[in-house]
Amino acid sequence: PSTIASAFAEGDILQVLFFSVLFGIALAMTGETSRPVVTFLQALTAPIFKLVGILMKAAPIGAFGAMAFTIGKYGIGSVANLAILVATFYLTAFLFVFGVLGAVCRYNGFSIFSLVRYIKDELLLVLATSSSEAALPSLMEKMEKAGAARSVVSLVIPTGYSFNLDGTNIYMTIAALFIAQATNTDLSIADQILLLLIAMLSSKG
């Protein structure tokens, strides 16, 4: 980032993560000298997580209002084709989660259904707001309560938010195909495979 503040102001998670890792390394290297800073940051997370929790409860209402405004002003037809796209995306995501990720969970000795039940509130929030960032604080808290070390959670989950964007990869591919169909643009199998590879690379999924 050009400045420390710009990374946070622009909401670029990758830049924030990069700064956070460097800052964490610096805190670890300075040891006891930085203990007050570490204590302050740990105390700061409590009100921030509580604030996000309040916003989480209000987010579905805002999403409902936005959809109601769009339908009321432009009619139900304005979202009919979009609804097909969204339904296709969620069906694909469902198959990916319970197929691919389900197999990964089973290999590691637990059930994907148990995990989904455990983080159902965060999943509903993401579904209502179409933004996974809103669920980050509470998701980290739940992973710590589940027994994961705080240091592991603080590194793995934010990193996954930046480098393992499987949902983004799925959406980019489906949305591109949707636009191609809407504009009568013919895509060969080779074009579609290339599109998938580009989506995987650009989304880091």
Side-chain angles (χ1 to χ4, degrees):
S2 55
T3 64
I4 295 174
S6 66
F8 291 90
E10 296 171 4
D12 192 322
I13 293 182
L14 186 59
Q15 293 184 8
V16 172
L17 178 63
F18 177 72
F19 169 74
S20 300
V21 170
L22 291 181
F23 190 67
I25 293 174
L27 290 176
M29 292 177 65
T30 50
E32 288 299 321
T33 305
S34 300
R35 178 61 58 184
V37 178
V38 175
T39 303
F40 169 74
L41 292 176
Q42 289 176 339
L44 184 63
T45 57
I48 289 179
F49 280 14
K50 181 61 66 175
L51 174 61
V52 172
I54 296 172
L55 296 177
M56 283 173 59
K57 291 179 173 60
I61 301 175
F64 174 79
M67 290 297 296
F69 170 79
T70 301
I71 295 174
K73 184 173 183 179
Y74 301 104
I76 191 66
S78 62
V79 296
N81 292 330
L82 183 60
I84 297 175
L85 170 64
V86 172
T88 303
F89 166 72
Y90 279 118
L91 176 61
T92 307
F94 179 87
L95 295 175
F96 175 79
V97 169
F98 291 99
V100 178
L101 298 185
V104 173
C105 291
R106 179 175 294 275
Y107 177 79
N108 286 278
F110 64 95
S111 170
I112 184 67
F113 297 102
S114 299
L115 178 62
V116 169
R117 283 195 298 269
Y118 185 63
I119 61 173
K120 64 180 184 301
D121 293 336
E122 287 70 27
L123 294 177
L124 291 174
L125 174 66
V126 172
L127 181 64
T129 62
S130 298
S131 174
S132 57
E133 281 79 6
L136 177 61
S138 59
L139 183 61
M140 293 176 65
E141 280 188 326
K142 282 194 172 181
M143 291 300 100
E144 290 182 28
K145 291 179 181 178
R150 186 183 185 91
S151 58
V152 174
V153 171
S154 299
L155 177 63
V156 172
I157 294 184
T159 303
Y161 263 60
S162 297
F163 289 100
N164 193 28
L165 309 180
D166 297 317
T168 301
N169 180 22
I170 293 172
Y171 176 75
M172 287 174 61
T173 306
I174 294 177
L177 293 175
F178 175 81
I179 294 173
Q181 290 181 349
T183 57
N184 292 321
T185 302
D186 183 52
L187 294 177
S188 65
I189 296 298
D191 292 332
Q192 295 179 40
I193 293 175
L194 179 61
L195 175 64
L196 175 62
L197 294 176
I198 293 175
M200 291 176 64
L201 179 63
S202 58
S203 68
K204 302 175 289 295

